[in-house]
Amino acid sequence: MVFKKFVLILSSIFIIIHFYLLSLMLTPYMGINISNNSTGEYIITNINQNDGWVRYTTASPGNIIKKIDGQPITDVSINRGSKVEITDGEITQTVAIPKFETRSTIKELIIPSLFSILALVLSMLMVKSPNAVNRYFIGFLLSAALSLFASTESGRDDIIANIIIITFLPLGSMYLVLFIFALLHERRIIQQQTSMWFNFNKVFSIIIISISILNLLYKGHFSAISANIVLFYFCSNVFFVILLLCYYYIKNICHEGKTILKWLVWINVLAFTPFILLHALPYMLNLPYLDDDTVEIFLFIIPIGYFYLSVSKQVIDLNFILSRIPYYFLLSLLPAISIATIIIFGSLNPNSQILYFFFLIFVIVSMIIILLFIKEKVDFVLRHRLWMRDDSLSQQLEFFIGKLSSSMKEKDLKNLFINQLQESLGPSIIAFIKFDYLTDNFHLEEIPKNEQAIHLSEKFKDKIRNHKNKKIDLLDYQGLIGMRIYTIETTHTYIWIGYKKNQTVFNLHEKVWFINIVKYIRLVYENVFAVENLIHTIEQTEVQQSQSSSTLSRFLFQLSEQERRRLAADLHDSALQDQIIWYRSLENLITTTPYLPRDTLSQLHQIKNGMQDAINQIRTTCNELRPISITKGGLTVALRELCANMQKKASFDITYDFPPIIEHDDYNLEICIYRVIQELLNNAHKHANATKISLSLWDDEKNIYLDYRDNGNGFKPDSVTVNNSHTGLNGIKERVYSFNGNINFITEIGIGTEIHITIPR
């Protein structure tokens, strides 16, 4: 509440000062010095060539002033009015403020007034949250607004305006430093919000303000020096803020506050650099400088930028903007120099032409860059709505990308590419050139539909040779354009097109479209070749004889499990559901139809029971293909369910010892163990003729162990290594080897079988 009252009082003082300054600025400033002569007449002793409107009239020093705005002059301090009656002793004339100077006065009012209104509105918005950041920012805004509004009248030696400048300009820079530190502390970029340096800065600002005010009130001899000290203090604080932000940006290069720091750096650089370089420093060094009302427009960046950061949860990607500024700057530089040259040399006021020239270039370049960003946004929003035709290149590129998914062979992809080029660009020549950079061998392949022939001259070959180590994508040679599509080992393959059928050259949009479509094709070719190489590797690898191919085996088993799950889902959602629907229809028919013949009713019950068996078989098959119980209850529950289902249809007794739980988060390993035990039981049911089977599963910190025993027929262990025999046991070996496990067979014909499996965790 105290803070709100303080801001309210400060805002009232702020408004009162503005009304005073506004009353001064609304009365035109003449820019002359007046004194009394020996006869009591008021004469012009000097005309200011940098300010005031009299400099644009026929008045000159020595002229006698009769009246100002129709009233006789009574005081040598009078320096405001819009009309002056003067005489040189012989001719009396009246000079009035020129129209362009009236516009200049309005300009002097508009920019400071807008900044003050903006500062006042933002202060009222931020007063609701009285934290340190908002307090210091309000102090900076109001101080900057007062300094900006009083700057014009301060240069005209108004004592109140001078007091405002020498008071609030140092305070504003001090508040800026405090605000930046508070903001960095709030964003957790720095630990301490204040330090001893801040106390020194506060004391130093009070000393500067006190000395400057005393010097002003008592008309000391150090007014110029005190003004320079005030400006130097202001510039030092601004430079300190920028260097501080740069330091923390570099220090916190991987910190989450990096984006905010970059915004802070650029906001301060863009806001203060024109004022410091084009006004403050030249003024302190007695060099030509721009008026403060010329460069003050850039100060709007401060309130707008910081308010945007405070209210936006997600800020614009500054890297995106900065990456385009150099390119847009080069595009803007030549027109900016041309426009600035025309304005400067056609101006009626050539004062400080060099500074104005560079300032105009800066302003025009900034405006063009902003317009280019707006154009990019408009292009993105409106191009597809207003200027997109069905036959446009962009639309055709979108259609082509949609067709790429159906082309998984090199031949199909090549034909699709050729057809799209012919349809979109209409070239007379389409050719593929293969270049082996080790043997320097060239191979030309032209499509049959070419209307012209292409000749591989030495210059043409040199164009391709010189391209192999360069990053330039598009090649251009005598009406032909080309790009590299893909590289296999030492051979580059290029696509070349040229000589359009409509006898025009390829325009910029067509070249960009060609570059984009080739880049898409290049990516698809790489995928096609990768798939073909994988298939070739799978076909050439004997996974059952080599443990070194465990990764590939595991990949194949994962594909198999995915296919099993897909098949189980299809069976469950289609065949099983249809069976259930027909089963219920048959059951409803039997129960609701009276007086059926006994034979018919008996046949219907047989069909019903057969359908029930089919439904159960499909459910069992789905469960075997996709053991849902693994994900729901864990591996142990799924294995017990598997053994129970096998016991129902098998002629042997199954004893098993499974732990309550096996802690493992690898589903692929769990499904491997499940499939191994499933295959062991199926193999025993089909071939072993056993009466007893035992299974033991346990684990330790390093491995999972599985023991299988039966009293069946047995077999020769060496026969497992033969590809065409014991397919089920070979599948078990492959699964175990895919997880870098070991498997041992202890068996002979007629004595049963023992299998010991060890799989690393």
Side-chain angles (χ1 to χ4, degrees), residues 178-189:
L178 295 175
F179 162 69
I180 291 297
F181 260 83
L183 182 63
L184 296 181
H185 176 71
E186 184 185 68
R187 299 277 182 167
R188 299 181 181 178
I189 297 174

Side-chain angles (χ1 to χ4, degrees), residues 588-608:
N588 184 60
L589 176 65
I590 294 174
T591 56
T592 59
T593 304
Y595 311 117
L596 285 173
R598 181 176 298 178
D599 292 342
T600 302
L601 186 62
S602 175
Q603 291 178 3
L604 290 176
H605 277 292
Q606 290 179 1
I607 295 173
K608 175 186 173 184

Side-chain angles (χ1 to χ4, degrees), residues 394-452:
S394 298
Q395 192 80 357
Q396 291 180 22
L397 183 59
E398 292 176 5
F399 290 153
F400 176 75
I401 295 171
K403 298 176 185 177
L404 283 178
S405 59
S406 61
S407 302
M408 295 306 296
K409 293 183 178 180
E410 181 184 359
K411 183 178 179 181
D412 296 338
L413 182 60
K414 187 175 183 180
N415 291 334
L416 180 64
F417 185 31
I418 291 172
N419 292 335
Q420 191 64 53
L421 289 175
Q422 290 174 333
E423 180 182 348
S424 301
L425 300 181
S428 300
I429 293 177
I430 299 179
F432 294 87
I433 299 177
K434 296 182 182 294
F435 167 56
D436 190 326
Y437 55 83
L438 285 184
T439 63
D440 196 40
N441 182 44
F442 288 85
H443 174 71
L444 173 63
E445 177 190 351
E446 297 185 73
I447 67 169
K449 296 181 180 180
N450 279 354
E451 299 179 7
Q452 299 184 46

Side-chain angles (χ1 to χ4, degrees), residues 538 554-564:
I538 294 173
R554 192 182 308 176
F555 171 69
L556 293 175
F557 284 127
Q558 290 176 7
L559 290 180
S560 175
E561 289 300 329
Q562 290 180 2
E563 189 62 22
R564 285 171 181 260

Side-chain angles (χ1 to χ4, degrees), residues 316-469:
I316 297 173
D317 185 3
L318 199 58
N319 291 330
F320 172 79
I321 297 175
L322 295 178
S323 65
R324 278 160 171 73
I325 284 180
Y327 171 63
Y328 289 164
F329 176 79
L330 292 176
L331 292 178
S332 310
L333 190 57
L334 182 59
I337 292 175
S338 303
I339 296 172
T341 303
I342 294 172
I343 293 175
I344 286 296
F345 288 100
S347 174
L348 296 176
N349 178 22
N351 184 36
S352 303
Q353 281 191 349
I354 296 178
L355 281 178
Y356 272 107
F357 179 70
F358 287 107
F359 177 73
L360 279 173
I361 291 177
F362 179 74
V363 172
I364 296 170
V365 166
S366 301
M367 293 177 62
I368 295 176
I369 289 175
I370 293 172
L371 290 174
L372 288 172
F373 274 109
I374 295 174
K375 173 193 175 297
E376 192 167 347
K377 179 67 175 179
V378 170
D379 283 349
F380 178 78
V381 174
L382 298 180
R383 177 179 293 171
H384 290 274
R385 300 179 182 179
L386 300 181
W387 298 289
M388 180 61 69
R389 305 187 312 272
D390 292 337
D391 60 340
S392 68
L393 292 175
S394 298
Q395 192 80 357
Q396 291 180 22
L397 183 59
E398 292 176 5
F399 290 153
F400 176 75
I401 295 171
K403 298 176 185 177
L404 283 178
S405 59
S406 61
S407 302
M408 295 306 296
K409 293 183 178 180
E410 181 184 359
K411 183 178 179 181
D412 296 338
L413 182 60
K414 187 175 183 180
N415 291 334
L416 180 64
F417 185 31
I418 291 172
N419 292 335
Q420 191 64 53
L421 289 175
Q422 290 174 333
E423 180 182 348
S424 301
L425 300 181
S428 300
I429 293 177
I430 299 179
F432 294 87
I433 299 177
K434 296 182 182 294
F435 167 56
D436 190 326
Y437 55 83
L438 285 184
T439 63
D440 196 40
N441 182 44
F442 288 85
H443 174 71
L444 173 63
E445 177 190 351
E446 297 185 73
I447 67 169
K449 296 181 180 180
N450 279 354
E451 299 179 7
Q452 299 184 46
I454 189 171
H455 177 60
L456 274 177
S457 63
E458 283 302 317
K459 289 185 178 180
F460 196 179
K461 292 180 180 179
D462 288 339
K463 191 80 173 179
I464 299 176
R465 290 189 187 104
N466 296 331
H467 174 257
K468 63 183 179 65
N469 294 323

Side-chain angles (χ1 to χ4, degrees), residues 156-207:
R156 296 167 179 172
D157 293 329
D158 182 81
I159 188 169
I160 302 298
N162 278 321
I163 292 175
I164 293 172
I165 286 290
I166 60 181
T167 301
F168 288 101
L169 192 62
L171 284 179
S173 64
M174 184 191 69
Y175 279 126
L176 176 65
V177 176
L178 295 175
F179 162 69
I180 291 297
F181 260 83
L183 182 63
L184 296 181
H185 176 71
E186 184 185 68
R187 299 277 182 167
R188 299 181 181 178
I189 297 174
I190 61 175
Q191 299 298 324
Q192 294 182 345
Q193 182 174 335
T194 59
S195 64
M196 292 182 60
W197 186 88
F198 290 105
N199 296 327
F200 171 77
N201 196 6
K202 293 176 183 177
V203 172
F204 192 60
S205 67
I206 293 173
I207 293 173

Side-chain angles (χ1 to χ4, degrees), residues 15 23 50 65 161 167 247 291 298 305 387 436 470 486 618 706:
I15 294 172
S23 64
N50 295 316
I65 300 180
T167 301
Y247 168 75
D291 296 334
F298 289 94
W387 298 289
D436 190 326
K470 295 183 178 179
Y486 58 85
I618 294 175
L706 173 64

